[in-house]
Amino acid sequence: MLELRHLKSILAIAQTGKLALAAKQVHLTQSALSHQLRALEDYYGISLLTRSRSGVVFTPAGERLLELARMVVSETSQAERDLVRMKDESANEELRVALECHTCFEWLMPVLDTFHARWPQINIDLVSGFHSEPVDLIEEGKADLVIAGIKARSKLLTNFPLFRFEILAVLAPGHPLRHCKTIQASDVAGETLITYPVPVEKIDFIREILQPAGIHYKRRTAELTLNILQLVASQRGIAALPNWGVKSYVDHDYVIARHIGAHGLWSELYAIASRQLAVKQYIADFVQIIRQQCMKTLDGIELL
């Protein structure tokens, strides 16, 4: 009765802490995952999980299966990678990665370390510079995989969903808007908005919030996240940045962050590759590493 798919589901539950998120990770609906768990519990006649508003907790029986899952899933994945290498031991491919998101470097480097440990024969090269239209690099033969905020529409490309994240308004601790629980479009009128040097249509805060409301603002650009935060902290303006990019600075009271609008401003990330490359096992593994590792280390994100 116990199958590899069950162990992968149990491992996903442990990694995410919630059935809904775990279901996304193993590509099931939440009801299908719940049915899978009930079938296991009925078969063995013992409870595996207890559920609460804050998430799920493994029973001793569930912990035993989780222990098995960690060992078996890891060994199975390693065996699959070994088989790929054995099929063509001479394979020494290059994976050129381009980024649309400036702050992605903060979580991408640990991902690359994990990927290199699993696929040492794949040489990873980050395409230098930031690109407002990085998907074009695939079509031009200058990149193999792109991390971008929107899906590619070409039928020649494959989109791999990664996760969604919240964009926060970032202010100096002494800014007049510090008392606002949320930042509305009208609050930004006349403010200086500090952004990366990219076209305005690539900036979610401008495209989704300010432009539809007809808000007039000043704009200043900076290349690095740290430079943007330094300008914000010295009250040269405000910014809108991903939650993971500002968390440590907020925790140390260097800046403060506020939600944007009544429901927050959310954005998405996708990995994009050509259909020919997308079938490679190491591409699927690269995407899975991003989803799993970011879910563990980045607060406030949701898997797509």
Side-chain angles (χ1 to χ4, degrees), residues 1 5 25 29 48 53 56 94 121 140 148 167 174 177 195 201 223 226 245 275 291:
M1 176 62 184
R5 63 190 177 96
Q25 186 163 305
T29 63
L48 301 176
R53 291 183 179 178
V56 295
E94 181 181 40
Q121 79 277 26
E140 295 167 2
I167 297 172
L177 294 174
T195 76
E201 62 269 17
E223 290 278 352
L226 180 58
R275 287 197 174 277
R291 288 167 59 87

Side-chain angles (χ1 to χ4, degrees), residues 11 64-77:
L11 189 58
R64 179 62 185 91
L65 288 187
L66 176 58
E67 178 185 3
L68 176 65
R70 286 174 172 149
M71 178 181 65
V72 171
V73 173
S74 176
E75 289 296 319
T76 301
S77 297

Side-chain angles (χ1 to χ4, degrees), residues 4 10 15 23 25 34 43 50 54 63 98 112-113 148 157 164 172 200 222 227 263-264 294:
L4 181 59
I10 289 170
Q15 290 170 342
Q25 186 163 305
S34 296
Y43 184 83
T50 58
S54 59
E63 289 285 354
L112 296 182
D113 290 340
L157 301 174
R164 67 192 296 260
V200 293
N227 294 147
H263 305 290
C294 288

Side-chain angles (χ1 to χ4, degrees), residues 21-253:
L21 298 177
K24 285 186 177 181
Q25 186 163 305
V26 295
H27 308 293
L28 293 174
T29 63
Q30 185 174 346
S31 61
L33 179 59
S34 296
H35 178 76
Q36 188 184 96
L37 291 172
R38 283 196 301 270
L40 274 179
E41 291 175 331
D42 290 345
Y43 184 83
Y44 291 106
I46 192 170
S47 176
L48 301 176
L49 301 171
T50 58
R51 298 165 177 81
S52 67
R53 291 183 179 178
S54 59
V56 295
V57 178
F58 285 96
T59 65
E63 289 285 354
R64 179 62 185 91
L65 288 187
L66 176 58
E67 178 185 3
L68 176 65
R70 286 174 172 149
M71 178 181 65
V72 171
V73 173
S74 176
E75 289 296 319
T76 301
S77 297
Q78 183 60 55
E80 289 175 340
R81 291 191 290 270
D82 290 342
L83 290 175
V84 172
R85 286 194 286 268
M86 290 175 184
K87 181 179 179 180
D88 185 4
E89 293 184 354
S90 63
N92 190 25
E93 300 188 46
E94 181 181 40
L95 179 61
R96 297 166 298 172
V97 180
L99 302 175
E100 180 185 52
C101 173
H102 281 60
T103 51
C104 288
F105 271 118
E106 299 190 24
W107 55 257
L108 182 61
M109 300 314 294
V111 166
L112 296 182
D113 290 340
T114 301
F115 180 81
H116 180 70
R118 295 184 183 181
W119 297 91
Q121 79 277 26
I122 305 297
N123 298 314
I124 300 179
D125 181 27
L126 292 179
V127 180
S128 61
F130 293 100
H131 311 275
S132 60
E133 299 293 342
V135 175
D136 291 348
L137 297 176
I138 298 178
E139 298 173 349
E140 295 167 2
K142 298 178 181 178
D144 303 304
L145 186 140
V146 163
I147 307 296
I150 58 173
K151 293 181 180 179
R153 297 181 179 179
S154 172
K155 294 181 179 180
L156 300 177
L157 301 174
T158 298
N159 298 291
F160 295 94
L162 297 178
F163 55 86
R164 67 192 296 260
F165 58 93
E166 188 175 7
I167 297 172
L168 300 173
V170 187
L171 318 167
H175 194 281
L177 294 174
R178 66 186 182 278
H179 300 299
C180 298
K181 292 184 178 180
T182 62
I183 300 300
Q184 307 298 327
S186 58
D187 295 327
V188 184
E191 290 279 352
T192 297
L193 182 63
I194 305 170
T195 76
Y196 297 109
V198 299
V200 293
E201 62 269 17
K202 294 292 181 179
I203 301 173
D204 299 64
F205 187 42
I206 296 176
R207 186 185 67 250
E208 302 294 333
I209 304 296
L210 301 183
Q211 285 184 340
I215 299 300
H216 296 284
Y217 58 91
K218 301 173 185 178
R219 186 185 178 200
R220 179 172 180 173
T221 63
E223 290 278 352
L224 303 176
T225 304
L226 180 58
N227 294 147
I228 291 177
L229 291 170
Q230 287 172 335
L231 290 169
V232 169
S234 60
Q235 299 196 37
R236 307 292 182 85
I238 65 174
L241 294 169
N243 49 10
W244 75 73
V246 301
K247 183 179 186 304
S248 62
Y249 300 95
V250 172
D251 289 346
H252 289 86
D253 299 320

